[in-house]
Amino acid sequence: MGMTRALRAARQELDDAGLRGSILVRDLDSGDELGVDAELEWPIASLVKVPLVVATLERVGRGELDPATPITVRPGAIATPGPIGVAKFRYPATIALDDLLYLSIAISDSSAADALFALTPPAAVSAELRRLGYDGIAVRHLMDDLTHTPAEAFEQAQAYLAHTLAIEAATAGHGHPVPQLDVGSANTGSARAFADLLQGLWRPTTITEPAAARTRELMADNVIRHRLAPDFSSDASRWSSKTGSLLNFRHEVGVVEHADGQTLAVAALTQSRVPAVLQPGAEAIMAKAARIIHNELRIRP
């Protein structure tokens, strides 16, 4: 297709689906990359669980935490649709630290993630990222903060109103009256920042190999596979990833390992201008746009 045409086609696909987005695809060995608006900063929702897990595993490696430590997690008592895992439990549960890592990544359990944040608070996760050399991801708040948005103020039949507010109240400078959507107060990152982190997990330099290997294993176990996975999973490729969703934001970052040995990081962060809760078409177009860029990079000499 050609690089310029591929990027133009990806942008057009996103725009036609009512999406604004950043996509970056990088060959983890050659360093070649292609993307659109890869430097834009976004509220990252559950993508923050990847740096949380990395920081926790680094502490495990230093002997500061024991992966077998039993931790009692209180039920979330959340009745609204969306949260899964411990948040839906009715009674306290005792779960080993390492199993909380699995729940946080594989099923995106936010209550499990907050149990980990109790051990390594957001500021400590940010400090660990800085120590490892990753400056593009800001960790500022707990996952529980994501359950206190306008979405919880409406009945399910009126949930589109929360999405309307999310869309229409944003400022040109990416500020927002909903703090979880304001890049000055939310957990934030860019497609490039996450591609850098994925590079560090699949080709470790500062992240220790045991921490990187466990994180890769957890991301391969991700059961949320309706977004980019259909376009990147096959008998000839392995897709490992983490999704993030909040109101009109839909993200996924991951790595596709092809049978011929080529390994590419893919980071797709998007925002919809369509006030609807369920948008399967947008999910599919995200994947299509990312795949267009991936295919162009994959065939380049």
Side-chain angles (χ1 to χ4, degrees), residues 227-233 237 283-284 287-288 291 294:
R227 194 162 287 170
L228 299 190
D231 275 74
F232 289 97
S233 298
S237 63
E283 313 275 2
K288 183 177 181 181
R291 185 74 193 197
H294 163 277

Side-chain angles (χ1 to χ4, degrees), residues 26-29 50 54 105 134 194-209 211-222 225 237-242 253-258 261-266:
R26 179 187 298 169
D27 186 309
L28 295 184
D29 293 307
V50 178
V54 171
I105 296 293
Y134 299 100
F194 274 95
D196 290 344
L197 184 58
L198 294 172
Q199 175 104 35
L201 289 168
W202 263 256
R203 302 292 185 266
T205 53
T206 59
I207 300 173
T208 60
E209 176 53 39
R214 181 60 175 144
T215 306
R216 295 194 302 267
E217 180 183 20
L218 293 170
M219 293 179 70
D221 286 339
N222 180 19
R225 305 186 69 81
S237 63
R238 175 185 174 92
W239 175 246
S240 306
S241 72
K242 180 71 193 77
V253 300
V255 170
V256 55
E257 299 170 89
H258 292 284
Q262 190 176 26
T263 302
L264 299 105
V266 182

